[in-house]
Amino acid sequence: MNKEKDTQSSEQEEVNGGASDAREGARPEKEENARVNMAEEASDGDSSAVKMAEDAAQWRDKYVRLSAEFDNYRKRTLKEKMDLISSAGEEVIKALLPVMDDLERALDATRKSSDVEAVREGVVLISNKLRDTLRARGLSEIDALGAELDTDLHEAVAKIPAPEKERKGKVVDVVQKGYKLHDKVIRYSKVVVGE
């Protein structure tokens, strides 16, 4: 029985020894694999750092180009706006030149003519021509007389007792006409309101 135990223990030792030898043989392989993995990770880290630096450089370049492009756009639109402001009235002034010529002719006619009615008719024609020219450019008169007071269109300069009850809170008189250019009020009507 002792012999059997000795044999079993020696077999056990051989198995254990063989397993430990196998483990010891595996250790250098594992260490080598770990070193290779670490080297790969380090090289991956270096390559990812280089890639990140390249990406950062590309983004920086794009940012600088975009910033320069926006700056050029801003300067160009500012110049166009200044040009537009300086020549904005040119078209209207050109349209008013014939009216100005007519006024000069009317002044000459008043010096030479003694017929007041003919001069008056000429001035009325010139006034109509001026209104038509401005109306063609988008100018319109604000109708105020008899209308409800609207602070978006009218500026009340005085209040007087209303001559009739229906005219209470309404415009009784227009001191100065108001005008709109397209839909924008450029001068409010100065009005007298009944109370």
Side-chain angles (χ1 to χ4, degrees), residues 152-167:
D152 291 335
L153 302 173
H154 309 130
E155 180 182 342
V157 293
K159 285 186 177 182
I160 62 167
E164 300 148 8
K165 279 189 174 183
E166 307 85 52
R167 298 184 75 182

Side-chain angles (χ1 to χ4, degrees), residues 67-135:
S67 177
E69 188 176 321
F70 178 73
D71 193 41
N72 290 340
Y73 167 77
R74 186 181 56 80
K75 287 178 184 175
R76 184 176 61 249
T77 55
L78 186 63
K79 183 181 181 293
E80 288 172 357
K81 186 177 179 182
M82 294 303 288
D83 290 345
L84 184 65
I85 289 170
S86 67
S87 64
E90 181 179 348
E91 190 176 321
V92 175
I93 290 171
K94 282 182 180 178
L96 291 176
L97 289 177
V99 176
M100 194 166 171
D101 293 339
D102 289 346
L103 281 172
E104 287 176 4
R105 283 193 285 274
L107 287 173
D108 285 343
T110 57
R111 288 186 203 120
K112 297 175 186 173
S113 174
S114 60
D115 187 8
V116 177
E117 190 59 34
V119 172
R120 183 184 165 300
E121 286 178 24
V123 171
V124 168
L125 289 173
I126 293 169
S127 175
N128 290 338
K129 187 174 186 177
L130 176 63
R131 281 197 180 102
D132 292 341
T133 302
L134 293 175
R135 193 173 296 127

Side-chain angles (χ1 to χ4, degrees), residues 129-149:
K129 187 174 186 177
L130 176 63
R131 281 197 180 102
D132 292 341
T133 302
L134 293 175
R135 193 173 296 127
R137 299 287 180 254
L139 188 73
S140 62
E141 193 176 306
I142 297 173
D143 293 326
L145 194 60
E148 288 283 331
L149 178 68

Side-chain angles (χ1 to χ4, degrees), residues 6-22:
D6 287 338
T7 344
Q8 282 178 355
S9 23
S10 65
E11 286 175 2
Q12 193 97 21
E13 286 176 12
E14 284 177 15
V15 169
N16 287 340
S20 69
D21 287 345

